Amino acid sequence: MSFLHTIKNKLFDLFLPRACFVCKKSGTYFCRTCFGNLDAPHDEQHDLPSWIFPLKSYKNPALRNALWKLKYKGTQALADDFGPHLYEGFLALYGEEELQIGGHILYIVPIPLSKKRLRERGYNQSELLARALTRAGTSTDFRIANILRKTKNTEPQAKIKRRHNRLANMRDVFVVKDGMQLENAVVFLIDDIVTTGATLKDARRALLAGGASRVYAITVAH
Ligand SMILES: [Zn+2]
């Protein structure tokens, strides 16, 4: 953990002490026990392709509240507490696929916001989650990389009700930034929530077109 990051967190905790969203234990937003007890992603998961790996069900009110605060209420420190859980998800995928054999380069890639939304919000929650994941997994040799660029200001997916409209809204939205070499790259996309998977599918399309060997996605919730 970087020095600046530590100082920022200590100051933050001084003014707004952390407490577990479920059991109210202090010092963390989600203690290990309570996060472990959250429901697994609900049945709709069979709609998602197997390369998308959500950790928990979005139906849980405590988790929904936490993700809402992370995204819309500026509670950026919340991302830290999801880091170890995301890293466990990463290890589950990474171990399973035995990616270490092939001499791959591991990239942790946050789903980018459009420039407009980044300006409005001031931060990208997916990037905070990606950074928290890499801080939790210091023994793993991966690189966090903002490889993707969002080319359109899309409507927020949550505002679009019909599934096929959501898919159309997210078509050809992402491109790989110029000059990025993705040969032998295994990419783990990071996002807070997956719903239809349209965003992640389009990001994956761009990464594979850019030469990535394999692309997976880990999200906090579905
Ligand atoms: Zn707890």
Side-chain angles (χ1 to χ4, degrees), residues 20 22 30-41 55-57 60 63 81-82 85 88:
C20 175
V22 184
F30 258 109
C31 74
R32 225 181 166 71
T33 312
C34 290
F35 193 84
N37 287 341
L38 293 177
D39 291 338
L55 299 178
K56 295 292 181 185
S57 168
N60 183 283
L63 185 61
D81 288 352
F82 290 124
H85 307 304
E88 278 174 25

PDB file of all heavy atoms in Angstrom, residues 20 22 30-41 55-57 60 63 81-82 85 88:
ATOM      1  N   CYS A  20     -18.845  -2.242   9.455  1.00  0.00           N
ATOM      2  CA  CYS A  20     -19.355  -3.266   8.549  1.00  0.00           C
ATOM      3  C   CYS A  20     -20.824  -2.977   8.212  1.00  0.00           C
ATOM      4  O   CYS A  20     -21.618  -2.703   9.101  1.00  0.00           O
ATOM      5  CB  CYS A  20     -19.210  -4.648   9.181  1.00  0.00           C
ATOM      6  SG  CYS A  20     -19.934  -5.958   8.187  1.00  0.00           S
ATOM      7  N   VAL A  22     -23.068  -4.905   7.499  1.00  0.00           N
ATOM      8  CA  VAL A  22     -23.982  -5.933   7.993  1.00  0.00           C
ATOM      9  C   VAL A  22     -23.960  -6.001   9.528  1.00  0.00           C
ATOM     10  O   VAL A  22     -24.972  -5.768  10.182  1.00  0.00           O
ATOM     11  CB  VAL A  22     -23.647  -7.313   7.393  1.00  0.00           C
ATOM     12  CG1 VAL A  22     -24.667  -8.358   7.846  1.00  0.00           C
ATOM     13  CG2 VAL A  22     -23.592  -7.235   5.868  1.00  0.00           C
ATOM     14  N   PHE A  30     -16.931  -4.134   5.062  1.00  0.00           N
ATOM     15  CA  PHE A  30     -17.476  -5.481   4.936  1.00  0.00           C
ATOM     16  C   PHE A  30     -16.497  -6.428   5.603  1.00  0.00           C
ATOM     17  O   PHE A  30     -15.433  -6.690   5.048  1.00  0.00           O
ATOM     18  CB  PHE A  30     -17.656  -5.888   3.464  1.00  0.00           C
ATOM     19  CG  PHE A  30     -19.071  -5.803   3.000  1.00  0.00           C
ATOM     20  CD1 PHE A  30     -19.461  -4.815   2.127  1.00  0.00           C
ATOM     21  CD2 PHE A  30     -20.010  -6.714   3.449  1.00  0.00           C
ATOM     22  CE1 PHE A  30     -20.768  -4.714   1.705  1.00  0.00           C
ATOM     23  CE2 PHE A  30     -21.323  -6.631   3.040  1.00  0.00           C
ATOM     24  CZ  PHE A  30     -21.706  -5.629   2.166  1.00  0.00           C
ATOM     25  N   CYS A  31     -16.825  -6.908   6.786  1.00  0.00           N
ATOM     26  CA  CYS A  31     -15.878  -7.809   7.432  1.00  0.00           C
ATOM     27  C   CYS A  31     -15.862  -9.121   6.644  1.00  0.00           C
ATOM     28  O   CYS A  31     -16.778  -9.425   5.884  1.00  0.00           O
ATOM     29  CB  CYS A  31     -16.227  -8.025   8.895  1.00  0.00           C
ATOM     30  SG  CYS A  31     -17.633  -9.082   9.186  1.00  0.00           S
ATOM     31  N   ARG A  32     -14.832  -9.877   6.829  1.00  0.00           N
ATOM     32  CA  ARG A  32     -14.622 -11.106   6.071  1.00  0.00           C
ATOM     33  C   ARG A  32     -15.795 -12.077   6.223  1.00  0.00           C
ATOM     34  O   ARG A  32     -16.270 -12.659   5.250  1.00  0.00           O
ATOM     35  CB  ARG A  32     -13.347 -11.781   6.593  1.00  0.00           C
ATOM     36  CG  ARG A  32     -12.483 -12.259   5.512  1.00  0.00           C
ATOM     37  CD  ARG A  32     -11.245 -12.944   6.055  1.00  0.00           C
ATOM     38  NE  ARG A  32     -10.631 -13.661   4.955  1.00  0.00           N
ATOM     39  CZ  ARG A  32     -10.019 -13.090   3.959  1.00  0.00           C
ATOM     40  NH1 ARG A  32      -9.920 -11.781   3.896  1.00  0.00           N
ATOM     41  NH2 ARG A  32      -9.501 -13.817   2.990  1.00  0.00           N
ATOM     42  N   THR A  33     -16.256 -12.197   7.478  1.00  0.00           N
ATOM     43  CA  THR A  33     -17.358 -13.139   7.756  1.00  0.00           C
ATOM     44  C   THR A  33     -18.617 -12.717   7.015  1.00  0.00           C
ATOM     45  O   THR A  33     -19.253 -13.534   6.341  1.00  0.00           O
ATOM     46  CB  THR A  33     -17.654 -13.170   9.272  1.00  0.00           C
ATOM     47  OG1 THR A  33     -16.412 -13.307   9.954  1.00  0.00           O
ATOM     48  CG2 THR A  33     -18.579 -14.297   9.639  1.00  0.00           C
ATOM     49  N   CYS A  34     -18.979 -11.441   7.151  1.00  0.00           N
ATOM     50  CA  CYS A  34     -20.232 -10.983   6.539  1.00  0.00           C
ATOM     51  C   CYS A  34     -20.159 -11.048   5.016  1.00  0.00           C
ATOM     52  O   CYS A  34     -21.137 -11.419   4.373  1.00  0.00           O
ATOM     53  CB  CYS A  34     -20.571  -9.569   7.000  1.00  0.00           C
ATOM     54  SG  CYS A  34     -21.047  -9.522   8.735  1.00  0.00           S
ATOM     55  N   PHE A  35     -19.019 -10.698   4.427  1.00  0.00           N
ATOM     56  CA  PHE A  35     -18.914 -10.791   2.967  1.00  0.00           C
ATOM     57  C   PHE A  35     -19.028 -12.247   2.533  1.00  0.00           C
ATOM     58  O   PHE A  35     -19.718 -12.566   1.574  1.00  0.00           O
ATOM     59  CB  PHE A  35     -17.609 -10.180   2.451  1.00  0.00           C
ATOM     60  CG  PHE A  35     -17.626  -9.990   0.950  1.00  0.00           C
ATOM     61  CD1 PHE A  35     -18.197  -8.859   0.385  1.00  0.00           C
ATOM     62  CD2 PHE A  35     -17.105 -10.961   0.108  1.00  0.00           C
ATOM     63  CE1 PHE A  35     -18.249  -8.696  -0.994  1.00  0.00           C
ATOM     64  CE2 PHE A  35     -17.149 -10.807  -1.267  1.00  0.00           C
ATOM     65  CZ  PHE A  35     -17.718  -9.665  -1.820  1.00  0.00           C
ATOM     66  N   GLY A  36     -18.375 -13.126   3.304  1.00  0.00           N
ATOM     67  CA  GLY A  36     -18.443 -14.557   2.995  1.00  0.00           C
ATOM     68  C   GLY A  36     -19.854 -15.103   3.064  1.00  0.00           C
ATOM     69  O   GLY A  36     -20.221 -15.982   2.287  1.00  0.00           O
ATOM     70  N   ASN A  37     -20.661 -14.529   3.958  1.00  0.00           N
ATOM     71  CA  ASN A  37     -22.033 -15.013   4.129  1.00  0.00           C
ATOM     72  C   ASN A  37     -23.025 -14.460   3.109  1.00  0.00           C
ATOM     73  O   ASN A  37     -24.162 -14.918   3.058  1.00  0.00           O
ATOM     74  CB  ASN A  37     -22.544 -14.651   5.536  1.00  0.00           C
ATOM     75  CG  ASN A  37     -21.888 -15.521   6.596  1.00  0.00           C
ATOM     76  OD1 ASN A  37     -21.348 -16.578   6.299  1.00  0.00           O
ATOM     77  ND2 ASN A  37     -21.914 -15.052   7.837  1.00  0.00           N
ATOM     78  N   LEU A  38     -22.617 -13.455   2.338  1.00  0.00           N
ATOM     79  CA  LEU A  38     -23.532 -12.906   1.332  1.00  0.00           C
ATOM     80  C   LEU A  38     -23.882 -13.991   0.317  1.00  0.00           C
ATOM     81  O   LEU A  38     -23.066 -14.872   0.032  1.00  0.00           O
ATOM     82  CB  LEU A  38     -22.885 -11.725   0.602  1.00  0.00           C
ATOM     83  CG  LEU A  38     -22.619 -10.452   1.393  1.00  0.00           C
ATOM     84  CD1 LEU A  38     -21.912  -9.437   0.501  1.00  0.00           C
ATOM     85  CD2 LEU A  38     -23.904  -9.864   1.940  1.00  0.00           C
ATOM     86  N   ASP A  39     -25.088 -13.875  -0.246  1.00  0.00           N
ATOM     87  CA  ASP A  39     -25.529 -14.881  -1.224  1.00  0.00           C
ATOM     88  C   ASP A  39     -24.645 -14.872  -2.467  1.00  0.00           C
ATOM     89  O   ASP A  39     -24.167 -13.827  -2.894  1.00  0.00           O
ATOM     90  CB  ASP A  39     -26.966 -14.579  -1.684  1.00  0.00           C
ATOM     91  CG  ASP A  39     -27.951 -14.827  -0.557  1.00  0.00           C
ATOM     92  OD1 ASP A  39     -27.600 -15.586   0.369  1.00  0.00           O
ATOM     93  OD2 ASP A  39     -29.050 -14.248  -0.607  1.00  0.00           O
ATOM     94  N   ALA A  40     -24.506 -16.045  -3.019  1.00  0.00           N
ATOM     95  CA  ALA A  40     -23.830 -16.161  -4.307  1.00  0.00           C
ATOM     96  C   ALA A  40     -24.727 -15.508  -5.364  1.00  0.00           C
ATOM     97  O   ALA A  40     -25.907 -15.279  -5.105  1.00  0.00           O
ATOM     98  CB  ALA A  40     -23.608 -17.624  -4.634  1.00  0.00           C
ATOM     99  N   PRO A  41     -24.172 -15.179  -6.541  1.00  0.00           N
ATOM    100  CA  PRO A  41     -24.998 -14.570  -7.582  1.00  0.00           C
ATOM    101  C   PRO A  41     -26.247 -15.418  -7.848  1.00  0.00           C
ATOM    102  O   PRO A  41     -26.166 -16.638  -7.858  1.00  0.00           O
ATOM    103  CB  PRO A  41     -24.076 -14.571  -8.796  1.00  0.00           C
ATOM    104  CG  PRO A  41     -22.714 -14.586  -8.234  1.00  0.00           C
ATOM    105  CD  PRO A  41     -22.802 -15.392  -6.974  1.00  0.00           C
ATOM    106  N   LEU A  55     -18.869 -12.061  -7.913  1.00  0.00           N
ATOM    107  CA  LEU A  55     -18.624 -12.665  -6.601  1.00  0.00           C
ATOM    108  C   LEU A  55     -19.918 -12.931  -5.825  1.00  0.00           C
ATOM    109  O   LEU A  55     -20.063 -13.966  -5.195  1.00  0.00           O
ATOM    110  CB  LEU A  55     -17.734 -11.747  -5.752  1.00  0.00           C
ATOM    111  CG  LEU A  55     -16.333 -11.428  -6.279  1.00  0.00           C
ATOM    112  CD1 LEU A  55     -15.634 -10.471  -5.314  1.00  0.00           C
ATOM    113  CD2 LEU A  55     -15.506 -12.692  -6.454  1.00  0.00           C
ATOM    114  N   LYS A  56     -20.832 -11.948  -5.866  1.00  0.00           N
ATOM    115  CA  LYS A  56     -22.010 -12.031  -4.990  1.00  0.00           C
ATOM    116  C   LYS A  56     -23.275 -11.565  -5.696  1.00  0.00           C
ATOM    117  O   LYS A  56     -23.206 -10.928  -6.741  1.00  0.00           O
ATOM    118  CB  LYS A  56     -21.782 -11.148  -3.744  1.00  0.00           C
ATOM    119  CG  LYS A  56     -20.637 -11.621  -2.862  1.00  0.00           C
ATOM    120  CD  LYS A  56     -20.958 -12.941  -2.179  1.00  0.00           C
ATOM    121  CE  LYS A  56     -19.816 -13.396  -1.282  1.00  0.00           C
ATOM    122  NZ  LYS A  56     -20.100 -14.733  -0.722  1.00  0.00           N
ATOM    123  N   SER A  57     -24.408 -11.857  -5.054  1.00  0.00           N
ATOM    124  CA  SER A  57     -25.690 -11.431  -5.614  1.00  0.00           C
ATOM    125  C   SER A  57     -25.968  -9.969  -5.292  1.00  0.00           C
ATOM    126  O   SER A  57     -25.837  -9.539  -4.144  1.00  0.00           O
ATOM    127  CB  SER A  57     -26.822 -12.281  -5.057  1.00  0.00           C
ATOM    128  OG  SER A  57     -28.060 -11.683  -5.400  1.00  0.00           O
ATOM    129  N   ASN A  60     -28.664  -8.598  -2.433  1.00  0.00           N
ATOM    130  CA  ASN A  60     -28.434  -8.349  -1.018  1.00  0.00           C
ATOM    131  C   ASN A  60     -28.451  -6.840  -0.725  1.00  0.00           C
ATOM    132  O   ASN A  60     -27.660  -6.091  -1.310  1.00  0.00           O
ATOM    133  CB  ASN A  60     -27.086  -8.940  -0.606  1.00  0.00           C
ATOM    134  CG  ASN A  60     -26.859  -8.756   0.873  1.00  0.00           C
ATOM    135  OD1 ASN A  60     -26.514  -7.669   1.322  1.00  0.00           O
ATOM    136  ND2 ASN A  60     -27.086  -9.809   1.630  1.00  0.00           N
ATOM    137  N   LEU A  63     -25.080  -5.126   0.324  1.00  0.00           N
ATOM    138  CA  LEU A  63     -24.116  -5.014  -0.768  1.00  0.00           C
ATOM    139  C   LEU A  63     -24.569  -3.952  -1.775  1.00  0.00           C
ATOM    140  O   LEU A  63     -23.761  -3.164  -2.271  1.00  0.00           O
ATOM    141  CB  LEU A  63     -23.948  -6.370  -1.470  1.00  0.00           C
ATOM    142  CG  LEU A  63     -22.879  -6.414  -2.551  1.00  0.00           C
ATOM    143  CD1 LEU A  63     -21.497  -6.097  -1.980  1.00  0.00           C
ATOM    144  CD2 LEU A  63     -22.844  -7.781  -3.232  1.00  0.00           C
ATOM    145  N   ASP A  81     -11.982  -2.395   0.695  1.00  0.00           N
ATOM    146  CA  ASP A  81     -12.466  -3.591   1.376  1.00  0.00           C
ATOM    147  C   ASP A  81     -12.895  -4.683   0.407  1.00  0.00           C
ATOM    148  O   ASP A  81     -12.990  -5.850   0.785  1.00  0.00           O
ATOM    149  CB  ASP A  81     -13.625  -3.238   2.315  1.00  0.00           C
ATOM    150  CG  ASP A  81     -13.122  -2.473   3.530  1.00  0.00           C
ATOM    151  OD1 ASP A  81     -11.887  -2.378   3.677  1.00  0.00           O
ATOM    152  OD2 ASP A  81     -13.931  -1.969   4.305  1.00  0.00           O
ATOM    153  N   PHE A  82     -13.174  -4.300  -0.831  1.00  0.00           N
ATOM    154  CA  PHE A  82     -13.512  -5.313  -1.828  1.00  0.00           C
ATOM    155  C   PHE A  82     -12.257  -5.932  -2.448  1.00  0.00           C
ATOM    156  O   PHE A  82     -12.330  -6.984  -3.081  1.00  0.00           O
ATOM    157  CB  PHE A  82     -14.398  -4.725  -2.930  1.00  0.00           C
ATOM    158  CG  PHE A  82     -15.792  -4.397  -2.469  1.00  0.00           C
ATOM    159  CD1 PHE A  82     -16.303  -3.122  -2.610  1.00  0.00           C
ATOM    160  CD2 PHE A  82     -16.596  -5.378  -1.899  1.00  0.00           C
ATOM    161  CE1 PHE A  82     -17.588  -2.813  -2.180  1.00  0.00           C
ATOM    162  CE2 PHE A  82     -17.881  -5.085  -1.465  1.00  0.00           C
ATOM    163  CZ  PHE A  82     -18.372  -3.796  -1.614  1.00  0.00           C
ATOM    164  N   HIS A  85     -11.431  -9.590  -1.630  1.00  0.00           N
ATOM    165  CA  HIS A  85     -12.451 -10.494  -2.167  1.00  0.00           C
ATOM    166  C   HIS A  85     -12.286 -10.658  -3.684  1.00  0.00           C
ATOM    167  O   HIS A  85     -12.415 -11.749  -4.228  1.00  0.00           O
ATOM    168  CB  HIS A  85     -13.852  -9.977  -1.854  1.00  0.00           C
ATOM    169  CG  HIS A  85     -14.068  -9.697  -0.394  1.00  0.00           C
ATOM    170  ND1 HIS A  85     -13.870 -10.648   0.570  1.00  0.00           N
ATOM    171  CD2 HIS A  85     -14.421  -8.562   0.252  1.00  0.00           C
ATOM    172  CE1 HIS A  85     -14.114 -10.119   1.764  1.00  0.00           C
ATOM    173  NE2 HIS A  85     -14.432  -8.859   1.590  1.00  0.00           N
ATOM    174  N   GLU A  88      -9.398 -12.904  -4.311  1.00  0.00           N
ATOM    175  CA  GLU A  88      -9.764 -14.317  -4.156  1.00  0.00           C
ATOM    176  C   GLU A  88     -10.454 -14.836  -5.408  1.00  0.00           C
ATOM    177  O   GLU A  88     -10.208 -15.962  -5.853  1.00  0.00           O
ATOM    178  CB  GLU A  88     -10.669 -14.507  -2.930  1.00  0.00           C
ATOM    179  CG  GLU A  88      -9.874 -14.582  -1.638  1.00  0.00           C
ATOM    180  CD  GLU A  88     -10.762 -14.620  -0.403  1.00  0.00           C
ATOM    181  OE1 GLU A  88     -11.929 -15.050  -0.516  1.00  0.00           O
ATOM    182  OE2 GLU A  88     -10.276 -14.210   0.666  1.00  0.00           O
TER     183      GLU A  88
END
